[in-house]
Amino acid sequence: MPGALTQAEIDQRVFDLYDEYCHGRIDRRTFLQRSAVVTAGGLAMAQALLPRYAQAQTVSFTDERIKPSYVTYPSPGGTSGTMRGYLVQPSGTGPFPVVLVIHENRGLNPYIEDVARRAAVAGFLALAPDGLFPAGGYPGNDDDGRALQAKLDQGKLRTDMLNSARYLKAHALSSGKLGVTGFCWGGSTTNALAGLLGEEMQAGAPFYGAAADPALVPRIKAALLVHYAEHDERITSMWPAYEQALKASGVRHEAHVYPGTQHGFHNNSTPRYNEAAARLAWERTVAFFREHLA
């Protein structure tokens, strides 16, 4: 766990302010200032929550079990007509089931690249698209990445993710079975793609993402494994209505709310990370994809 403070030492009010900050409702300066006011030691708590990606890598890009590369591909109707992504191939000749890994609201940062490598180690051909590529790519820090992503046409950005899924599914090394996972904005996009792709998508595992538009739910044919954090009312409160809609449409699904966790608990670059919950959620995700993409 990077940083001097653990999750248990950070005031919930600072976690709540961080949630506002990382979703673009307040800027970095306001986050730090308000954290300093709400509790003694709040500034140190806020600073501890800022990501430390270099310390969070779990699978090296030189790992002999994988072969990573950056690829570009057409994206008609997207932001610029072209997309770039981080493609990670497992060892072996394939074909492989494929998993699209969708970033948060700040572009393809090192954490998401690491998740793609984790998926490849588990035996999936993984692609992590960079929605910021048409705007120059992930800029190297989350603040600028968040600002860039917020300025994009959101409909075109979603089209870029849709085209990324289709590119991966049609890849020469693909078995033709497609799974999608994503985190925060990527989780909501996973839910949306399940409706937009219909029978083209076999499985989806969104992490703390907003529910799909009700109009899309009847089009979902993929099985869904939905992960929620307990202390994430804004997102978790959507589940009862979403579950009812999934049941009404006959969508295969299961959901888990992880006790004691914050939004972003899978991201191991800050103290929001919950090691036990993140490990369990990932193990469930890998098993779920192996079952539905076999």
Side-chain angles (χ1 to χ4, degrees):
M1 177 72 69
L5 297 176
T6 67
Q7 184 173 147
E9 296 172 305
I10 297 175
D11 192 289
Q12 182 61 46
R13 291 170 293 180
V14 178
F15 277 119
D16 292 342
L17 286 169
Y18 185 78
D19 189 69
E20 290 191 56
Y21 161 61
C22 73
H23 289 97
R25 292 189 288 275
I26 58 176
D27 62 19
R28 182 188 180 110
R29 175 178 294 182
T30 303
F31 164 57
L32 296 174
Q33 289 176 337
R34 290 186 182 177
S35 296
V37 171
V38 296
T39 185
L43 179 59
M45 296 176 191
Q47 291 171 331
L49 283 171
L50 299 175
R52 292 167 173 81
Y53 290 124
Q55 299 175 38
Q57 178 177 269
T58 66
V59 180
S60 171
F61 65 90
T62 61
D63 193 301
E64 293 183 354
R65 295 171 294 176
I66 60 172
K67 182 181 179 181
S69 61
Y70 292 97
V71 294
T72 56
Y73 46 92
S75 182
T79 303
S80 70
T82 303
M83 271 292 288
R84 183 175 190 255
Y86 186 62
L87 184 73
V88 192
Q89 175 186 337
S91 59
T93 58
F96 307 101
V98 301
V99 172
L100 189 73
V101 180
I102 307 178
H103 57 68
E104 302 147 308
N105 64 336
R106 62 211 68 174
L108 181 58
N109 61 29
Y111 156 64
I112 296 299
E113 291 191 344
D114 194 65
V115 174
R117 293 193 293 269
R118 297 176 210 177
V121 167
F124 305 103
L125 179 67
L127 175 67
D130 187 358
L132 299 184
F133 172 68
Y138 176 69
N141 70 85
D142 282 5
D143 283 335
D144 291 340
R146 188 180 302 108
L148 278 176
Q149 187 160 325
K151 292 177 182 177
L152 295 176
D153 180 301
Q154 297 302 300
K156 291 182 178 180
L157 177 58
R158 180 167 289 180
T159 296
D160 282 330
M161 297 300 124
L162 182 66
N163 288 332
S164 297
R166 288 174 170 154
Y167 164 80
L168 180 61
K169 185 178 176 73
H171 194 280
L173 294 174
S174 168
S175 68
K177 296 294 183 69
L178 170 67
V180 181
T181 190
F183 306 86
C184 186
W185 179 85
S188 66
T189 303
T190 299
N191 283 320
L193 289 187
L196 293 170
L197 287 165
E199 294 182 352
E200 295 178 78
M201 177 174 159
Q202 282 67 54
F207 281 72
Y208 29 84
D213 186 316
L216 287 175
V217 173
R219 299 169 55 185
I220 296 176
K221 304 302 178 186
L224 296 180
L225 171 65
V226 186
H227 302 293
Y228 288 116
E230 180 183 16
H231 301 301
D232 188 17
E233 178 66 16
R234 182 178 59 87
I235 296 298
T236 307
S237 63
M238 298 180 183
W239 173 241
Y242 192 28
E243 181 182 32
Q244 184 176 8
L246 293 173
K247 287 180 176 179
S249 295
V251 177
R252 294 165 295 169
H253 66 277
E254 62 180 284
H256 301 277
V257 179
Y258 295 85
T261 55
Q262 306 286 335
H263 183 96
F265 71 82
H266 185 268
N267 187 334
N268 60 323
S269 69
T270 88
R272 292 195 302 172
Y273 174 60
N274 183 302
E275 183 177 5
R279 181 186 298 114
L280 177 58
W282 186 247
E283 288 173 352
R284 284 172 168 164
T285 298
V286 170
F288 176 76
F289 282 151
R290 285 176 175 164
E291 175 186 356
H292 292 282
L293 305 183

